[in-house]
Amino acid sequence: MLPMPSTAPQEQVWPSNSLLSRLRENTRQELLAVGTVVRYAADREVIEQDAKDTHVLLLLEGVVKVQTTDETGDTALLAIRVAGDLVGEMAALDQKPRSATVVTCGDVVAKLITSVELMSFLHRRNDVFVELIGMINDRLRTANQRRRDFLSHPAAERVARVLVELIETYGREEVHGWTLGIPLTKVELASIAGMKPRTAEKAFSDLRKAGVVVSHLRRDVLIPDLDELRTFAGI
């Protein structure tokens, strides 16, 4: 007799390095029970820079970009966050105005958790607080590394290093190479590496000439050989 197929629900696999991936299953389910489910359409500002609200968003589906705008009106992309990530935690923890804007890349489903709900949960579950601090620490290390890259690498190499990081974290392998699968412009990608829009086109031109990046449709990039990109980036 053939065994009956299992009807037990499969545990969802959250992206590596996301907050939810860091937690044990029982703890993760407790956190997922906190807050209210919210849904957002594409290109929606779900957190606004300098706003004084203090809730966080625990992403369940979709992708958001974290960006900041300076006094001259120039906008720089700081980071990408995906399902399993927490955004807005700084204001929830220190009760200060938002340091960045969060914009949806496509449809997004999240849990909206008030700062009161979050702090109450963290008081009950110190293990989650430890993982949250670890997540914040990893983000700070990444920011510091990009500052070091700014001092020691030319523009094209800095963009290449950002692309390697993003592809290794969020990308997918296809027939002709690796794609990021997130609709970001060249200017946005270059701004993660700390460069102005006028430098972005030159950096991507150098990457295309080197054969490590190919422009792709729908604001995506194609990486024919990820190892070659790593070599170009000095990784």
Side-chain angles (χ1 to χ4, degrees):
M1 180 181 295
L2 294 175
M4 294 293 291
S6 173
T7 58
Q10 294 184 340
E11 180 182 330
Q12 181 169 351
V13 178
W14 299 95
S16 62
N17 295 324
S18 67
L19 178 61
L20 289 181
S21 73
R22 296 168 180 256
L23 305 179
R24 291 191 295 268
E25 177 60 16
N26 62 327
T27 307
R28 183 162 45 239
Q29 292 305 320
E30 285 187 47
L31 179 55
L32 287 168
V34 178
T36 304
V37 175
V38 289
R39 300 175 185 275
Y40 301 109
D43 300 318
R44 170 87 179 272
E45 287 190 3
V46 294
I47 289 177
E48 184 178 352
Q49 181 176 324
D50 296 325
K52 296 181 179 180
D53 50 16
T54 57
H55 65 275
V56 300
L57 292 173
L58 180 61
L59 304 179
L60 304 179
E61 298 176 19
V63 180
V64 300
K65 53 188 178 183
V66 182
Q67 59 192 39
T68 186
T69 304
D70 64 18
E71 295 81 359
T72 65
D74 287 338
T75 297
L77 183 62
L78 302 178
I80 297 298
R81 301 287 179 244
V82 298
D85 281 330
L86 191 70
V87 293
E89 72 282 349
M90 291 178 61
L93 294 175
D94 64 17
Q95 302 294 300
K96 293 180 180 179
R98 302 285 190 183
S99 60
T101 294
V102 177
V103 182
T104 58
C105 299
D107 295 338
V108 167
V109 180
K111 270 297 190 75
L112 189 153
I113 303 173
T114 67
S115 60
V116 172
E117 289 174 322
L118 178 65
M119 296 308 295
S120 176
F121 181 79
L122 293 177
H123 280 301
R124 298 196 311 271
R125 297 306 305 252
N126 290 335
D127 55 332
V128 179
F129 182 75
V130 171
E131 295 298 344
L132 178 60
I133 295 301
M135 180 194 75
I136 295 172
N137 184 64
D138 286 348
R139 292 176 180 178
L140 179 59
R141 285 182 179 275
T142 298
N144 288 341
Q145 180 61 55
R146 286 176 183 159
R147 292 188 183 96
R148 289 194 294 270
D149 289 347
F150 185 83
L151 296 173
S152 57
H153 294 273
E157 286 185 16
R158 299 204 318 266
V159 174
R161 293 172 77 87
V162 166
L163 286 172
V164 169
E165 174 194 330
L166 293 176
I167 290 292
E168 288 182 339
T169 306
Y170 308 118
R172 60 175 181 262
E173 189 172 13
E174 300 183 350
V175 175
H176 301 294
W178 288 82
T179 59
L180 181 56
I182 300 173
L184 300 176
T185 67
K186 288 178 289 188
V187 169
E188 288 175 323
L189 287 167
S191 69
I192 299 181
M195 61 188 64
K196 294 290 186 178
R198 61 180 175 273
T199 313
E201 187 59 50
K202 174 63 166 58
F204 271 92
S205 176
D206 290 343
L207 291 171
R208 287 193 296 271
K209 289 177 182 177
V212 294
V213 170
V214 178
S215 295
H216 202 45
L217 299 175
R218 296 185 298 278
R219 296 196 303 177
D220 205 344
V221 293
L222 175 66
I223 311 299
D225 189 316
L226 188 54
D227 287 334
E228 285 189 15
L229 182 64
R230 288 193 189 101
T231 300
F232 182 93
I235 299 175

